[in-house]
């Protein structure tokens, strides 16, 4: 496939939709996994262990795929290891320690919508550090609409703001970590194979999470073949989605890619409603989704369609 294809609008739309749909499916999967492996909302160690196994397996999947594709075992050069370590901390160790802990303390629907704010954080970070992604009035208005969606979702019936720091708060911090990860991947991918970086950062970050979970006393109860299948699918989600995302970041502006993250909360809500019988979808969730989508189209809608 020619490099020019990776920046064509039709390819970007299809690839982003595929990646974000996979990410959206992670929310009901994680909730299901917590039940299958008997992981409680306060069991931080087991949550981290569960995440670590998923991402370590995802890293092995990406490395194996890339090695077969390249017809040789891919391995980071000396200088590339520093980049792998930075990415593994921001994208895997820190982000998903916050994400898994936060999701254990909030609903899958709320989690998917809040995580959709990652696109706005990514645009803000890109505007601050990338000269090609400066903030404009359109982007500012889009960010306001997106954050408005998060606020509406957390307003109680008596019109007071209710934010769960152990749940919603940690998910927001997770999105911030993801935004900086996207920035660093954009910078590092200029001189490195983004697929190689993806594979090794997942493996390194996942190993850190596994060791942390084990040292803190985490454990996973046996869930049988269904549990193994679930973990393998979740590893595939990460390996496929993030690899697609990292390749797109290499050939496109951050804001052009970040704008499509609205698909994550949309698919997260839909898939949670389908697979989780206790998923709570109400008017505030739908209003939040509407504002998130409106914010994204405000930021880049016309430009994306005309590219």
């Amino acid at each position: 496939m020619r490099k020019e294809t990776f920046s064509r609008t039709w390819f970007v739309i299809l690839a982003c939709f595929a990646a974000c749909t996979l990410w959206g499916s992670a929310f009901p999967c994680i909730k299901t996994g917590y039940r299958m492996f008997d992981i409680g909302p306060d069991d931080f160690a087991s949550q981290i262990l569960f995440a670590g196994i998923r991402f370590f397996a995802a890293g092995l999947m990406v490395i194996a795929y890339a090695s077969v594709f390249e017809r040789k075992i891919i391995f980071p050069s000396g200088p590339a290891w520093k980049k792998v370590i930075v990415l593994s901390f921001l994208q895997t160790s820190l982000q998903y320690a916050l994400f898994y802990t936060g999701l254990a303390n909030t609903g899958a629907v709320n989690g998917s919508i809040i995580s959709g704010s990652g696109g706005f954080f990514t645009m803000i970070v890109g505007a601050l550090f990338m000269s090609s992604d400066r903030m404009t009035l359109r982007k500012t208005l889009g960010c306001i609409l997106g954050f408005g969606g998060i606020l509406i979702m957390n307003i109680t019936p008596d019109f007071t703001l209710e934010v769960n720091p152990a749940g919603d708060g940690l998910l927001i911090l997770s999105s911030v970590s993801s935004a900086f990860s996207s920035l660093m991947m954009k910078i590092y991918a200029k001189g490195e194979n983004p697929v190689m970086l993806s594979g090794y950062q997942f493996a390194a970050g996942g190993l850190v999470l596994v060791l942390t979970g084990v040292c803190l006393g985490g454990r996973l109860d046996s869930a049988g073949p269904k549990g193994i299948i679930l973990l393998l699918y979740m590893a595939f989600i990460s390996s496929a989605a993030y690899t697609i995302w990292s390749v797109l970041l290499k050939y496109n502006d951050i804001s052009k890619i970040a704008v499509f993250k609205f698909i994550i909360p949309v698919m997260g809500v839909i898939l949670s409603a389908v697979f989780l019988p206790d998923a709570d979808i109400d008017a505030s969730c739908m209003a939040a989704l509407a504002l998130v989508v409106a914010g994204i189209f405000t930021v880049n809608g016309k430009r994306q369609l005309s590219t």
Side-chain angles (χ1 to χ4, degrees):
M1 188 178 291
R2 293 184 303 175
K3 293 180 179 180
E4 294 80 6
T5 303
F6 294 112
S7 59
R8 294 187 183 278
T9 299
W10 67 266
F11 182 85
V12 170
I13 291 173
L14 290 177
C16 285
F17 183 83
C20 292
T21 298
L22 284 169
W23 272 322
S25 72
F27 296 94
C29 284
I30 293 171
K31 285 294 188 180
T32 300
Y34 284 161
R35 287 200 295 265
M36 292 177 68
F37 291 100
D38 194 24
I39 301 174
D42 298 323
D43 192 353
F44 173 75
S46 296
Q47 293 162 12
I48 296 304
L49 177 59
F50 182 50
I53 293 173
R54 171 194 175 186
F55 294 115
F56 183 72
L60 295 182
M61 285 183 181
V62 175
I63 293 169
Y65 163 78
S67 296
V68 171
F69 185 79
E70 296 286 342
R71 297 183 179 179
K72 64 179 181 179
I73 298 176
I74 61 168
F75 200 76
S77 62
W81 274 112
K82 180 180 178 180
K83 301 173 183 178
V84 167
I85 292 172
V86 172
L87 287 172
S88 69
F89 173 72
L90 290 173
Q91 172 62 29
T92 304
S93 299
L94 178 60
Q95 180 192 171
Y96 284 104
L98 295 168
F99 179 83
Y100 270 65
T101 306
L103 192 58
N105 292 282
T106 192
V109 172
N110 279 23
S112 63
I113 293 174
I114 292 175
S115 292
S117 68
F120 299 106
F121 287 119
T122 302
M123 281 187 285
I124 292 172
V125 169
L128 291 174
F129 297 98
M130 301 292 291
S131 59
S132 61
D133 275 319
R134 295 192 181 280
M135 208 65 170
T136 63
L137 179 60
R138 178 184 288 271
K139 290 181 180 180
T140 302
L141 179 57
C143 288
I144 292 173
L145 287 171
F147 284 117
I150 295 174
L151 292 175
I152 284 179
M153 186 184 61
N154 289 285
I155 292 179
T156 62
D158 59 352
F159 295 100
T160 59
L161 184 62
E162 182 179 358
V163 177
N164 175 14
D168 302 343
L170 292 183
L171 288 175
I172 291 174
L173 291 177
S174 173
S175 294
V176 174
S177 180
S178 176
F180 279 97
S181 170
S182 293
L183 173 67
M184 299 313 296
M185 177 58 83
K186 173 68 176 177
I187 294 172
Y188 291 159
K190 291 180 180 179
E192 301 287 349
N193 180 349
V195 180
M196 179 275 293
L197 291 176
S198 297
Y200 279 95
Q201 71 86 11
F202 270 136
L207 183 59
V208 169
L209 291 175
V210 168
L211 294 176
T212 301
V214 170
C215 290
L216 293 176
R219 63 179 180 81
L220 299 183
D221 290 345
S222 176
K226 291 183 178 180
I228 295 175
I229 292 172
L230 178 68
L231 275 171
L232 288 175
Y233 173 70
M234 292 175 66
F236 170 75
I237 289 173
S238 299
S239 62
Y242 188 71
T243 298
I244 292 171
W245 206 254
S246 63
V247 172
L248 291 174
L249 283 171
K250 181 180 178 71
Y251 297 105
N252 298 275
D253 290 340
I254 291 178
S255 60
K256 181 177 180 180
I257 304 305
V259 72
F260 288 96
K261 278 197 171 183
F262 80 91
I263 300 170
I264 297 176
V266 172
M267 296 309 299
V269 168
I270 293 173
L271 294 172
S272 294
V274 172
F275 293 106
L276 296 178
D278 58 344
D280 183 18
I281 301 178
D282 55 20
S284 65
C285 288
M286 299 310 296
L289 280 175
L291 281 175
V292 168
V293 172
I296 288 169
F297 277 107
T298 298
V299 170
N300 259 358
K302 290 183 179 180
R303 188 181 73 182
Q304 294 294 347
L305 293 175
S306 61
T307 299

